[in-house]
């Protein structure tokens, strides 16, 4: 394999070429090095972390938090992540999926900084699904940087030290006399230098330095980290139409497929007539896929697949199918009825999940009692690129190209469904045209693999149409949040009761689950950071009748909407300024052990390293309000609304300015969003994520709703599942990042925490502007005067 | 057989006449820069220029495009204004996932060809047919203004 990376078409092909070797754990060190040298790279892509598991870094079971607690943890072996060719090209593997958060820029940038590589000579190569080699690849939970900042720093530092050692050996000087600087190693005393390319082969023969011997850069020496100076790695490809998404895969002899899935979750095909479909020009085959019994997991939904010579023919063929469905047990799911049921549940005692003081007694004694119910509907993630996957099977090896947030789960599922050993399944990860949680569930990847199998291994590209995407997603839950509070004579909140009612994501994995799991309760409900002596959280049961799944920010959305709206209502009732009242509820700056709130989950992070820091929450509230000019005089019909929310171990506060005209038309001149996510590795992409979060938050608050009738989703495309467009988007978004002073403190999430406070801040602003309180999302035409 | 002129090249397309241009481009010709988003002219991801007009390829049958000049995102860097738009997109760091940006660039380029100095209202009108789920609208607006040579108002 004497070659350059440019000649290698598919990263997976290259990596897979030695896949068989990888399974042999006891490969000899000698052979390992021989292959290594032959590769022509210092640090060749394609060496399994398994080989070095005993001497370098892989995750370990004893630790329980953060990356350590994720499946397959983390890997910081430079041999896995970095290759340096003799021409000096540094190739850095990105093992997390790019879906717009900028991870293919930001993670390799961290490696490049510690390596002191010249970014202009860096190439990024996407890892296939293989967590044993790369560490956890589930790109969700806003944790790529949080979990891999330090491992990637170590990857870069280790590679740099190998180059320095090689140079020192060549010059026969102590390694302490040389240093790496922008793609070369320099011996200052003699004025000699060697480029990384020149050092490639020699460094290849060196052992990976032990982790405790790594010298990480001081923050002051960072070249890229914290600067935000780099352009998006894939930007040029994206604006010229060259970027390759899952839906863009093209293979020789490829067929194209769409599937008619059961309209109701749990339904199945009774019978079908394909005769008309088969007459559509281009249709090659029609076949039935079995439905799967509950729980949904990542199983395909079943249905009738149409396979054709192009996508349009497949779509036309599907239209011509005549199918009778057995709609199954969820055939009566109806969003209006279900909402009414949830409201009834929310008014009765439910499973108590946190209980401080005596809420009932405090409510009885209070001067003012308030209660409110908030409704937030199902949502579909609706990434602009719908789910898509292409699979082929050659000699018992299934290779897939797909846009997935879950490369390893995709691999596991394909292996399971095709009854193949895992090493006979390759998942090539393309760019994702948006994910937002939808592409964490690889049901569509399995579908493509099954269709290829049914076509004797021929390459088959499965495309989900927009109708498929909106009607068969793993939907964001639907919820009723019932809140009650008691105020004392001074207007201070002395009692707080919150009943949260929502089908749980756990129902997708364990049929019959009716309660929110710790990870859902820990999204702002159970860990509500208020200093209220009497506080009770209840979670009445709610049954799922569709596939419930992750949507960017997950349960934080309904929870923040209800809590942050209710606080504004309490402030109004108490005759107080909302900001002052919110700060008073939060109480003094303190670090709360989340376990003391009953939050055993804590976003998967250590409660010691990641306490709930009310000082940081107060600080972002102050910052957002200061920057937004809280209290300033506004034009008629304008209003400012505030909300703050802690999620994904990041603190966010938002002030939205709205304008509501006399006809009730809403516009949003400006949003100020203040964020404390700990150290900011790529502030430019952090800003873009938060701008996007503001717009997605506005979109779901004003327009977003998936609803069911007779078990099926009513909405089917962007005319009835509307998304915010440029003319209704906030005109100005100002992102205020708490300045980073050092990089040793723990990182927070970025992708998701901006979304939850937007809806309540928007609704609070509408109240300020109009006196109208929105308790039901989406806002849609609630403000319109007729 | 229908003959189309795509990015200056003549292409014979052996597909039924009612096949949308989008699928002819993507599946038959192999130009995948034009994206599928909705199939109903609701999202703008499939925007191409037909005789200079921004057009949704997903609802344009190839029969209606025959004999006309079709330009796709793949040729935008050879277009003076298209290139300016692309540069402004990169300069402002517009793309997140990037999927809708082909269509956004096509719509923005068409706008600037017809109106060298668009107002905010002009931008709203020309760009509201293009959905971006990542929410890059504020940067899209800034990039259009940059490409038009207008100073983005920063207060």
């Amino acid at each position: 394999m004497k070659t350059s990376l440019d000649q290698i078409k598919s990263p997976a092909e290259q990596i897979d070429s030695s896949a068989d070797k990888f399974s042999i754990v006891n490969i000899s060190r000698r052979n390992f090095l021989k292959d290594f040298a032959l590769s022509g790279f210092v640090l060749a892509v394609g060496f399994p972390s398994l080989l070095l598991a005993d001497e370098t870094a892989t995750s370990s079971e004893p630790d329980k938090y953060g990356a350590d607690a994720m499946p397959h943890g983390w890997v910081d072996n430079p041999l896995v992540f970095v290759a340096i060719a003799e021409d000096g090209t540094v190739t850095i593997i990105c093992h997390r999926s790019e879906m717009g958060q900028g991870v293919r820029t930001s993670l390799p940038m961290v490696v490049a900084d510690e390596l002191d590589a010249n970014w202009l000579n860096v190439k990024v190569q996407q890892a296939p699904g293989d967590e044993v080699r790369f560490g956890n690849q589930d790109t969700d939970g806003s944790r790529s940087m949080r979990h891999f900042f330090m491992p990637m720093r170590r990857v870069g530092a280790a590679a740099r030290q190998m180059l320095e050692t090689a140079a020192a050996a060549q010059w026969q000087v102590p390694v302490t006399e040389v240093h790496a600087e922008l793609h070369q190693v320099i011996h200052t005393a003699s004025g000699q230098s060697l480029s990384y390319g020149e050092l490639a082969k020699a460094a290849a023969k060196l052992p990976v330095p032990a982790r405790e011997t790594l010298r990480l850069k001081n923050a002051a020496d960072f070249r890229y980290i914290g600067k935000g100076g780099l352009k998006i790695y894939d930007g040029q490809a994206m604006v010229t139409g060259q970027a390759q998404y899952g839906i863009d895969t093209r293979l020789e002899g490829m067929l194209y497929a769409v599937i008619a899935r059961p309209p109701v979750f749990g339904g199945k095909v009774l019978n079908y007539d394909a005769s008309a479909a088969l007459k559509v020009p281009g249709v090659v085959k029609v076949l039935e896929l079995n439905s799967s019994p509950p729980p949904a997991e990542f199983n395909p939904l079943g249905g009738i697949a149409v396979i054709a010579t192009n996508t349009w023919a497949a779509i036309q063929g599907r239209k011509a199918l005549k199918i009778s469905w057995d709609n199954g047990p969820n055939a009566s799911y109806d969003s209006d009825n279900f909402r009414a049921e949830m409201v009834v549940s929310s008014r009765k005692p439910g499973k108590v999940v946190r209980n401080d003081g005596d809420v009932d007694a405090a409510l009885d004694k209070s001067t003012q009692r308030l209660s409110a119910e908030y409704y937030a509907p199902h949502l579909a993630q609706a990434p602009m690129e719908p789910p898509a996957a292409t699979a082929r099977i050659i000699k018992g090896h299934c290779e897939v190209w797909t846009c997935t947030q879950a490369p390893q789960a995709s691999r596991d599922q394909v292996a399971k469904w095709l009854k193949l050993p895992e090493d006979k399944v390759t998942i090539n990860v393309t760019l994702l045209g948006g994910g937002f949680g939808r592409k964490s569930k690889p049901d569509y990847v399995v579908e493509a693999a099954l269709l290829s199998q049914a076509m004797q291994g021929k390459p088959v590209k499965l495309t989900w149409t927009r109708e498929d995407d909106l009607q068969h997603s793993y939907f964001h839950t639907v919820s009723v949040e019932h809140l009650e509070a008691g105020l004392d004579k001074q207007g201070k909140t002395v009692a707080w009761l919150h009943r949260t009612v929502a089908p749980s994501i756990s129902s997708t994995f364990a049929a019959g689950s009716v309660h929110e799991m710790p990870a859902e309760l820990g999204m702002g409900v159970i860990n509500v950071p208020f200093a209220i002596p009497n506080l009770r959280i209840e979670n009445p049961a709610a049954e799922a009748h569709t596939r419930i799944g992750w949507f960017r920010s997950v349960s934080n959305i309904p929870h923040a909407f209800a809590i942050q709206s209710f606080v504004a209502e309490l402030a109004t009732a108490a005759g107080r300024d909302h900001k002052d009242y919110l700060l008073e509820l939060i109480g003094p700056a303190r670090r709360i052990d989340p376990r003391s709130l009953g939050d055993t989950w804590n976003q998967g992070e250590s409660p010691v390293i990641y306490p709930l820091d009310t000082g940081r929450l107060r600080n972002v509230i102050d910052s957002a309000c200061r920057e937004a000019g809280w209290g300033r005089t506004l034009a008629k019909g304008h209003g400012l609304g505030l909300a703050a929310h802690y999620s994904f171990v990041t603190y966010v506060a938002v002030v939205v300015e709205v304008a509501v005209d006399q006809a009730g038309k809403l516009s949003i001149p400006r949003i100020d969003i203040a964020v404390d996510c700990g150290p900011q590795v790529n502030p430019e992409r952090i800003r873009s994520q938060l701008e996007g979060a503001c717009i997605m938050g506005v979109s779901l608050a004003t327009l977003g709703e998936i609803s069911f009738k007779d078990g099926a989703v009513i909405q089917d495309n962007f005319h009835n599942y509307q998304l915010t467009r440029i003319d209704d988007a906030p005109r100005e978004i100002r992102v205020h990042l708490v300045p980073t002073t050092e990089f040793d403190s723990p990182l927070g999430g970025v992708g998701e925490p901006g979304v939850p406070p937007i809806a309540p801040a928007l609704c609070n602003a509408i109240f300020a502007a109009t006196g109208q309180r929105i308790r039901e999302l989406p806002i849609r035409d609630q403000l319109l005067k007729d | 057989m229908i003959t189309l002129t795509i990015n200056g090249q003549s292409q014979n397309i052996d597909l039924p006449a009612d096949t949308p241009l989008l699928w002819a481009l993507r599946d038959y010709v192999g130009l995948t820069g034009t994206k599928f988003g909705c199939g109903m002219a609701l999202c703008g991801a499939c925007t191409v220029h037909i005789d200079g007009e921004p057009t949704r390829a997903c609802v344009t049958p190839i029969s209606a495009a025959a004999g006309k000049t079709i330009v796709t995102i793949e040729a935008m860097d050879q277009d003076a204004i298209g290139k300016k738009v692309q540069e402004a997109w990169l300069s402002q760091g517009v793309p997140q996932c990037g999927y809708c940006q082909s269509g956004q660039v096509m719509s923005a380029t068409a706008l600037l060809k017809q109106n060298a100095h668009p107002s905010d209202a002009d931008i709203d009108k020309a760009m509201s047919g293009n959905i971006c789920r990542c929410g890059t609208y504020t940067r899209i607006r800034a990039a259009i203004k940059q490409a038009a040579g207008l100073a983005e108002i920063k207060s």
Side-chain angles (χ1 to χ4, degrees):
Chain A
M1 60 192 253
K2 173 82 179 165
T3 178
S4 81
L5 281 167
D6 281 332
Q7 295 169 265
I8 299 161
K9 280 191 178 164
S10 149
E13 274 169 31
Q14 195 235 339
I15 288 164
D16 257 21
S17 63
S18 26
D20 289 341
K21 274 184 283 177
F22 295 174
S23 59
I24 305 163
V25 180
N26 64 349
I27 183 171
S28 76
R29 187 79 182 159
R30 197 168 52 83
N31 280 340
F32 170 59
L33 287 171
K34 194 177 76 185
D35 289 353
F36 199 176
L38 279 174
S39 73
F41 305 139
V42 180
L43 308 163
V45 177
F47 286 91
S49 57
L50 266 181
L51 282 169
L52 300 161
D54 54 343
E55 58 190 68
T56 65
T58 54
S59 59
S60 49
E61 285 79 23
D63 298 306
K64 295 188 292 191
Y65 301 115
D68 294 323
M70 297 299 294
H72 301 106
W74 46 270
V75 170
D76 65 356
N77 183 345
L79 303 184
V80 172
F81 286 97
V82 179
I84 303 177
E86 287 175 285
D87 70 355
T89 302
V90 169
T91 300
I92 301 173
I93 295 276
C94 179
H95 70 299
R96 310 283 288 185
S97 299
E98 177 64 69
M99 50 189 171
Q101 81 281 44
V103 76
R104 270 167 61 87
T105 306
S106 303
L107 275 182
M109 181 193 90
V110 172
V111 176
D113 201 327
E114 285 288 356
L115 177 58
D116 227 78
N118 184 340
W119 186 251
L120 298 174
N121 293 341
V122 169
K123 284 190 176 167
V124 177
Q125 192 168 309
Q126 192 67 31
D130 189 349
E131 291 191 348
V132 171
R133 293 182 59 211
F134 301 107
N136 184 268
Q137 296 182 270
D138 285 333
T139 313
D140 55 19
S142 298
R143 57 191 157 211
S144 287
M145 193 54 78
R146 189 162 100 233
H147 286 181
F148 289 95
F149 178 57
M150 289 310 293
M152 290 304 113
R153 286 185 69 185
R154 293 195 296 267
V155 162
R160 169 181 23 93
Q161 287 178 217
M162 290 165 81
L163 292 160
E164 288 171 337
T165 304
Q170 189 157 332
W171 295 321
Q172 297 185 315
V173 301
V175 72
T176 49
E177 291 184 9
V178 310
H179 72 281
E181 189 178 320
L182 207 60
H183 242 79
Q184 56 181 352
V185 179
I186 297 167
H187 184 235
T188 312
S190 66
Q192 295 180 95
S193 67
L194 285 165
S195 72
Y196 285 4
E198 289 170 318
L199 290 165
K201 271 191 173 170
K205 300 187 173 84
L206 299 171
V208 173
R211 201 177 304 133
E212 57 275 14
T213 67
L214 296 177
R215 301 183 311 277
L216 298 181
K217 279 186 177 179
N218 293 317
D221 298 327
F222 285 148
R223 199 176 281 285
Y224 311 119
I225 294 169
K227 312 291 190 220
L230 299 184
K231 295 290 173 207
I232 319 155
Y233 182 77
D234 298 294
Q236 177 71 25
M238 285 169 172
V239 302
T240 54
Q242 303 302 316
Q244 291 291 302
Y245 299 86
I247 204 170
D248 297 330
T249 305
R250 291 173 61 78
L251 298 174
E252 188 68 32
M254 184 172 80
L255 295 165
Y256 300 77
V258 296
I259 300 173
R261 297 175 187 78
V264 179
F265 172 61
K268 57 180 192 242
V269 176
L270 272 180
N271 54 67
Y272 72 101
D273 175 0
S275 51
L278 287 165
K279 288 184 190 133
V280 171
V283 169
V284 172
K285 192 170 174 97
V286 173
L287 58 93
E288 183 172 354
L289 291 172
N290 289 331
S291 298
S292 309
E297 298 178 347
F298 299 143
N299 300 325
L301 288 168
I304 307 298
V306 179
I307 297 168
T309 52
N310 64 74
T311 313
W312 178 248
I315 292 170
Q316 294 304 99
R318 181 170 73 173
K319 271 188 204 154
L321 288 170
K322 293 186 186 69
I323 309 172
S324 299
W325 302 101
D326 170 357
N327 285 332
N330 295 312
S332 62
Y333 186 38
D334 177 296
S335 288
D336 291 338
N337 294 343
F338 191 71
R339 176 177 174 176
E341 282 173 36
M342 287 199 297
V343 167
V344 169
S345 300
S346 79
R347 291 176 185 171
K348 293 186 213 159
K351 181 184 170 190
V352 176
V353 293
R354 182 177 163 196
N355 195 4
D356 300 351
D358 187 338
V359 168
D360 296 330
L363 281 172
D364 285 344
K365 278 193 289 188
S366 59
T367 310
Q368 251 192 105
R369 273 183 80 152
L370 287 96
S371 86
E373 279 159 8
Y374 301 88
Y375 178 73
H378 284 300
L379 299 169
Q381 300 84 353
M384 290 312 296
E385 178 201 30
T390 304
R392 76 174 178 207
I393 305 165
I394 298 175
K395 294 180 185 166
H397 189 124
C398 180
E399 186 163 19
V400 176
W401 290 259
T402 189
C403 43
T404 178
Q405 296 174 248
Q408 181 64 47
S410 297
R411 193 181 195 199
D412 294 342
Q413 290 297 314
V414 170
K416 182 181 106 178
W417 280 84
L418 263 48
K419 297 188 175 63
L420 291 173
E422 195 187 72
D423 64 357
K424 297 291 182 194
V425 177
T426 299
I427 305 292
N428 300 294
V429 180
T430 65
L431 290 173
L432 282 65
F436 314 116
R438 172 62 185 92
K439 293 171 184 170
S440 291
K441 301 92 166 178
D443 55 331
Y444 54 98
V445 181
V446 176
E447 288 175 339
L450 290 173
L451 292 178
S452 175
Q453 186 184 48
M455 299 305 289
Q456 296 79 46
K458 277 188 191 149
V460 177
K461 171 155 72 180
L462 171 72
T463 299
W464 281 47
T465 62
R466 184 58 58 193
E467 290 79 5
D468 300 336
D469 175 52
L470 295 179
Q471 303 214 305
H472 303 290
S473 186
Y474 288 75
F475 297 99
H476 173 68
T477 193
V478 53
S479 87
V480 169
E481 308 287 326
H482 174 100
L483 285 110
E484 294 183 31
L487 310 189
D488 68 10
K489 259 186 275 180
Q490 287 76 41
K492 192 174 154 58
T493 301
V494 291
W496 176 276
L497 171 66
H498 184 166
R499 291 199 192 102
T500 174
V501 188
S504 170
I505 290 171
S506 55
S507 64
T508 296
F509 302 97
S513 297
V514 293
H515 290 291
E516 292 182 40
M517 56 184 172
E520 290 164 317
L521 293 168
M523 289 183 169
V525 169
I526 202 168
N527 55 342
V528 62
F530 296 157
I532 302 171
N534 306 290
L535 185 149
R536 193 166 74 230
I537 316 289
E538 298 178 14
N539 176 219
E543 201 177 332
H545 298 285
T546 184
R547 302 193 294 184
I548 307 294
W550 303 274
F551 175 104
R552 185 182 191 179
S553 311
V554 204
S555 300
N556 289 292
I557 294 168
H559 296 160
F561 169 56
I563 293 167
Q564 294 295 312
S565 295
F566 195 53
V567 169
E569 296 204 46
L570 299 182
T572 303
R576 300 278 309 280
D577 172 75
H578 178 201
K579 180 203 170 194
D580 294 344
Y581 201 80
L582 175 59
L583 288 173
E584 189 176 292
L585 271 180
I586 292 167
R590 63 202 183 282
R591 289 181 178 176
I592 305 171
D593 185 328
R595 293 169 296 192
S596 71
L597 309 175
D599 177 15
T600 53
W601 176 61
N602 199 38
Q603 202 66 47
E605 302 297 344
S606 157
V608 177
I609 297 172
Y610 287 94
L612 200 174
D613 189 332
T614 56
R616 293 172 71 185
L617 187 59
R618 294 179 64 95
N619 186 38
V620 290
I621 293 168
D622 281 331
S623 170
C625 288
R626 184 177 60 246
E627 299 290 349
W630 184 253
R632 72 185 143 98
T633 308
L634 295 162
K636 192 172 182 301
H638 286 238
L640 292 182
L642 166 67
H645 191 71
Y646 168 68
S647 63
F648 305 94
V649 291
T650 281
Y651 303 81
V652 181
V654 176
V655 174
V656 174
E657 180 182 349
V658 300
V660 183
D661 72 14
Q662 291 201 325
K665 165 107 174 87
L666 170 73
S667 58
I668 304 169
R670 176 171 154 187
I671 296 181
D672 286 85
I673 182 165
V675 181
D676 180 356
C677 59
Q680 296 139 27
V681 178
N682 189 356
E684 197 279 332
R685 281 298 92 183
I686 293 174
R687 287 177 186 278
S688 74
Q689 280 297 284
L690 290 160
E691 291 162 14
C694 288
I695 290 169
M696 185 171 270
V698 165
S699 188
L700 72 90
T702 55
L703 298 166
E705 179 169 28
I706 289 287
S707 48
F708 288 78
K709 180 93 187 147
D710 298 326
V713 174
I714 295 169
Q715 294 76 18
D716 59 359
N717 211 315
F718 292 135
H719 59 295
N720 52 17
Y721 186 72
Q722 293 191 42
L723 303 175
T724 293
R725 294 165 183 271
I726 195 169
D727 50 341
D728 286 328
R731 194 45 61 103
E732 186 182 4
I733 299 171
R734 299 177 180 202
V735 178
H736 311 288
L737 302 176
V738 171
T740 297
T741 51
E742 42 78 28
F743 284 84
D744 295 328
S745 56
L747 275 67
V750 169
E752 294 168 276
V755 175
I758 303 298
L762 176 62
C763 293
N764 292 339
I766 288 168
F767 181 81
T770 67
Q772 186 176 345
R773 172 55 60 184
I774 302 288
R775 296 201 185 95
E776 170 185 351
L777 296 182
I779 299 163
R780 206 179 278 131
D781 55 2
Q782 291 181 61
L783 301 174
L784 293 185
K785 311 272 187 292
D786 28 42
Chain B
M1 190 79 77
I2 285 175
T3 304
L4 297 179
T5 306
I6 303 165
N7 300 335
Q9 290 192 324
S10 187
Q11 300 261 1
N12 292 325
I13 312 286
D14 188 13
L15 290 173
D18 64 349
T19 305
L21 176 61
L22 171 69
W23 300 112
L25 289 171
R26 291 181 54 81
D27 294 352
Y28 194 90
V29 183
L31 292 173
T32 56
T34 304
K35 300 304 186 198
F36 167 68
C38 68
M40 290 175 70
L42 296 166
C43 78
C46 66
T47 305
V48 298
H49 295 172
I50 298 184
D51 286 348
E53 285 296 315
T55 307
R56 312 303 183 208
C58 72
V59 293
T60 305
I62 51 174
S63 55
K68 299 183 178 173
T69 301
I70 301 163
V71 180
T72 72
I73 185 69
E74 284 88 350
M76 270 305 98
D77 58 355
Q78 291 142 47
D79 179 291
I81 292 174
K83 190 151 179 64
K84 231 171 156 182
V85 168
Q86 289 170 330
E87 284 165 1
W89 245 243
L90 294 175
S91 162
Q92 294 288 339
V94 173
Q96 288 187 30
C97 86
Y99 189 80
C100 76
Q101 301 299 346
S102 292
Q104 305 278 5
V105 165
M106 295 304 286
S107 289
T109 303
L111 165 66
L112 290 175
K113 279 172 185 276
Q114 288 161 13
N115 178 353
H117 300 287
S119 66
D120 276 327
D122 296 332
I123 292 172
D124 281 347
K125 193 159 173 249
M127 301 303 293
S128 61
N130 290 76
I131 296 175
C132 173
R133 184 57 159 157
C134 297
T136 63
Y137 298 129
T138 49
R139 294 196 191 206
I140 286 174
R141 187 183 300 280
I144 290 173
K145 289 180 179 180
Q146 181 183 327
L150 302 175
E152 167 69 337
I153 299 141
K154 288 249 186 234
S155 48

